Each structure stands twice: as structure tokens, then as C-alpha cells.
Amino acid sequence: MKKIDLKSMELPEIKTLFGEMGEKPFRAGQLYSWIHQKKATEFQQMTNLSEDLRRRLAETCELSAFQIADRQISKLDGTRKYAFLLSDGNIIESVYMKYRHGISVCISSQAGCRMGCRFCASTLDGLARNLTAGEMLEQIDAIERDAGERVSHVVVMGSGEPLDNKENLIRFLHLVSDENGGGISQRNITVSTCGLVPEIRELAGEKFAITLALSLHAPNDALRRTMMPIANRYTIAETLKACDFYFEQTGRRMSYEYSLVRGVNDRPEHARELTGLLKGKNCHVNLIPVNPIKEREYRETMAPDVDRFKKELEKSGINVTIRRRLGADIDSACGQLRRRIQRGEVRKEAE
Ligand code: SAH
């Protein structure tokens, strides 16, 4: 029999479950706190629950703690890339980054991805499956256990398209930001999407105080279609309209991600066209020289051209940052480590 996935359950659901088990509702609160605040990985740790209840929970429920399949630590900046082994044998990856403002973790929302972006390694083998809310949370918790530090910021920018797994994403966002749960401020959470328009609008309706990042990467539909299949489904105009709606509904300023690919989308005329799209919007643009993957021909834009691109946007008053490249000496491009492990190419515990 499949065990009950407690880590993906919200408190009222655990209360219902406990009711069915003949337990008092306040016990559900104790269990929830053990899982999300004290980060217990085994029922035996839950000493304020009776021996009998702990035993019954262990028989019927699971806490889904991950095993570390691989860990690479950057010698340059301490960035850590983790590969975790899931209970069904799938592998996912997550990244730990240290900033002045705290510790940020980049998590995956799916094992693999079906969006097909040309520059991205996560999508090369397609989608294996959606991650549960508990599996999204456990990436943070497993990293906290390993690093011995509290995570303050979360970016859902690892493998997968979070809005292609919207229900589990929303459940995850509730659990991770609940003050009696994960306790991470919604303001410190960013979700990145390649631009699923109806789902952006639905997420806006949830009124989270999280930041939404849109992976734009091109200033016109023709060019975007050569880089991202999603551009065949939704035009830039309707995508930006959905982003405006997100801002109106939540008051959260949009982030636009733009990966610069040498000779493809990094020319001055592209910067001017992008300015035309974003001028006057309350938004932020992140420029990221593309991280080349060996399966594709894309190469990164050189630093002077990145600077020129940035200045062109700034001339029109657009907020722009160039994403600092962390973990340049480890497999930091999305999906690279996972693929190498699945193909048996990775050496163990490279430090
Ligand atoms: N599916 C979501 C989130 C995961 S990807 C999305 O598309 O936004 C997170 C970000 O990394 C996206 O902006 C994505 O376009 C970008 N990205 C993926 N592969 C990259 C690479 N090789 N170099 C630079 N950016 C990349």
C-alpha cells in the first residue's frame, strides 16, 4: 500500500487525517511542527507524540527525506550543487548559494521538463514527472541539514516548469511560507516561468507576495520562437499582458530574465527592441550570459557586449542587473548534473 505523504499535507488536512485515526486535533499541530519547524526526518524523534501514535504513523505514512546522490562544492564561491535521489529512483538537483543577505536555495519543480527551450539541459530528456509539494520542500530541508544553516531565500528556478505543476507549486508555497510551517517570507521567494499565460493569471489570483520572473530571452516573437517552443503558443504581447496583470493583482514588481546568446539575441537592436517592450513598466531585468551546454550550439555573450546591452536598457530608465555567475567551476547550468549522474558519468563526492 502506498504510504501517505505527510510532508505535502497542509495542517487542516492532517487534522482531518488525525480525526479519522481517532487522535485529538492538537496532535496534528504537533506533528506539523515536527515536520516543518523542527524538520524531523523520523517519527521516533517526535517525543511529544505517544509511542503508539509514532508506530502507527510509521506504518502508514512517510516523511520523504532525501538521500544525497552527489554534492559538488565550488572552490570559487562555496556554491553547492546537490543531486538528490528520490524514492522512485528519479534524480533531481538543487543549488545552495551564499549571498550577503543570506542563504538562497534554487529548487527543481519537476524531474526533467517538457518545455523544450533550446539552451536548457533540463529539457533534453523530456519530463519524467512532477514533484510533490513535499519533494519541493525537502530540497530546502535536506540542504539545511547538510549545510547546518537556515535557508532564507528560495528561487524556483531549477529543473522543470513550475506552472506546468501548478497545484503542487501552490501547495508548496503555502507550506514553505506558513509561519507555523516553513516560515520563509513570501517576499524572499521567486518563481520563474517560461510563460504559461493562463497559469500566470491563475497564480496572480492566489495573491501571494512572491516575485514572479518571466523568462523572456528575446524581444520579438520570431526570434523567441527559435529559442523557446512556448513562444508558438503565446505571443510576447499576451505574455506581457499577463505579467502586467500579475503586478496589478499582487503589487509585486515583475522580473524579466534575459539569457544573452552570442550573435543571437545580444545585438544593440535587440536591446532597443527590448526597451520598447519594457519601457515605463515597474520591473526588473536580469541579464545572464547563457551557460553553454554541449548538446547545443549557443555560446555566451562576452562581457563588453553584456555591458553595452545593459547600458542601452538603462538609458531608458529600466532597472537592470547582470546576474553574477556563481559556481562556475561546477555543473551549474540547469539539469547538467542530473543528466551526468543518470548516465553514470559523475565521480562521487567531488569536492
Ligand atoms: N521553467 C522555468 C524555470 C526553470 S529555468 C523558466 O523557464 O523560467 C530558470 C531560468 O534559467 C530560466 O530563465 C531559463 O530560461 C534559464 N536557463 C535555462 N538554461 C539556461 C542556460 N543554459 N543558460 C542560461 N540560462 C538558462
Side-chain angles (χ1 to χ4, degrees):
M1 199 185 72
K2 200 171 167 350
K3 289 190 165 180
I4 296 169
D5 172 16
L6 283 178
K7 197 156 180 156
S8 295
M9 288 171 76
E10 298 192 38
L11 182 55
E13 296 168 328
I14 300 183
K15 283 190 175 148
T16 306
L17 175 72
F18 271 37
E20 288 161 8
M21 293 172 70
E23 292 291 333
K24 299 228 164 54
F26 81 94
R27 296 280 174 213
Q30 290 176 324
L31 175 77
Y32 188 77
S33 165
W34 276 111
I35 296 174
H36 297 290
Q37 293 182 316
K38 303 193 200 83
K39 316 262 182 188
T41 54
E42 288 170 38
F43 293 104
Q44 273 315 316
Q45 296 167 288
M46 305 180 179
T47 44
N48 56 359
L49 303 182
S50 71
E51 273 288 351
D52 174 59
L53 176 57
R54 278 184 262 163
R55 189 184 45 73
R56 283 196 292 148
L57 287 172
E59 277 166 14
T60 54
C61 304
E62 64 182 2
L63 292 170
S64 34
F66 288 161
Q67 301 288 325
I68 296 176
D70 187 75
R71 188 184 60 180
Q72 302 190 348
I73 303 182
S74 165
K75 293 192 179 72
L76 303 174
D77 50 46
T79 297
R80 295 166 168 230
K81 182 131 198 177
Y82 290 88
F84 294 114
L85 179 64
L86 310 187
S87 51
D88 64 354
N90 266 302
I91 288 186
I92 56 167
E93 49 182 66
S94 323
V95 185
Y96 155 111
M97 293 160 287
K98 204 168 195 140
Y99 291 98
R100 258 188 308 261
H101 60 252
I103 306 257
S104 181
V105 165
C106 173
I107 66 164
S108 295
S109 55
Q110 297 177 314
C113 184
R114 56 175 176 174
M115 294 296 126
C117 299
R118 286 285 300 169
F119 41 81
C120 181
S122 301
T123 199
L124 291 170
D125 298 322
L127 175 68
R129 68 164 170 88
N130 283 333
L131 298 187
T132 64
E135 287 169 333
M136 292 186 227
L137 271 174
E138 174 60 10
Q139 296 172 59
I140 302 167
D141 294 345
I143 288 178
E144 286 193 346
R145 291 197 299 274
D146 185 66
E149 291 166 293
R150 286 311 293 262
V151 169
S152 57
H153 291 66
V154 177
V155 295
V156 188
M157 287 195 184
S159 295
E161 167 51 47
L163 294 184
D164 190 33
N165 183 15
K166 199 187 79 228
E167 269 176 41
N168 290 337
L169 174 79
I170 288 174
R171 184 174 273 279
F172 160 75
L173 291 171
H174 285 146
L175 292 168
V176 73
S177 66
D178 180 4
E179 54 181 19
N180 298 313
I184 295 179
S185 163
Q186 289 184 1
R187 296 179 170 275
N188 293 353
I189 300 174
T190 299
V191 171
S192 180
T193 178
C194 67
L196 302 184
V197 166
E199 286 80 3
I200 290 174
R201 290 179 173 272
E202 286 163 20
L203 184 67
E206 298 285 329
K207 306 273 165 100
F208 288 116
I210 61 166
T211 299
L212 184 65
L214 177 85
S215 301
L216 188 55
H217 304 323
N220 62 65
D221 288 321
L223 181 55
R224 195 163 186 259
R225 284 175 190 142
T226 69
M227 303 171 75
M228 306 172 72
I230 193 70
N232 295 305
R233 240 199 287 169
Y234 305 110
T235 62
I236 291 177
E238 56 190 331
T239 307
L240 293 181
K241 243 173 113 182
C243 294
D244 289 345
F245 180 74
Y246 186 88
F247 174 63
E248 282 158 31
Q249 292 293 305
T250 63
R252 300 293 293 165
R253 183 173 82 157
M254 282 295 306
S255 272
Y256 293 100
E257 309 282 307
Y258 197 101
S259 296
L260 288 160
V261 185
R262 199 188 308 170
V264 172
N265 65 357
D266 65 347
R267 306 288 89 205
E269 61 269 26
H270 297 127
R272 284 193 288 276
E273 209 177 351
L274 182 62
T275 302
L277 292 177
L278 301 181
K279 201 174 168 178
K281 288 191 195 298
N282 189 354
C283 69
H284 186 92
V285 176
N286 261 317
L287 298 176
I288 316 136
V290 80
N291 213 333
I293 58 173
K294 66 174 188 303
E295 292 81 359
R296 299 283 190 244
E297 66 285 7
Y298 288 151
R299 294 295 166 259
E300 76 275 23
T301 299
M302 296 312 202
D305 286 334
V306 177
D307 285 334
R308 230 166 281 145
F309 200 96
K310 176 171 184 261
K311 290 209 174 77
E312 184 64 43
L313 298 180
E314 283 174 335
K315 272 201 313 212
S316 300
I318 297 174
N319 291 301
V320 195
T321 45
I322 299 171
R323 178 88 62 78
R324 195 156 62 99
R325 190 144 178 247
L326 292 175
D329 55 337
I330 54 181
D331 291 312
S332 49
C334 314
Q336 278 184 333
L337 180 59
R338 171 176 182 265
R339 290 191 88 235
R340 289 184 54 219
I341 291 177
Q342 287 182 330
R343 290 157 176 248
E345 291 170 14
V346 151
R347 58 214 184 280
K348 277 279 142 224
E349 282 291 12
E351 273 186 49

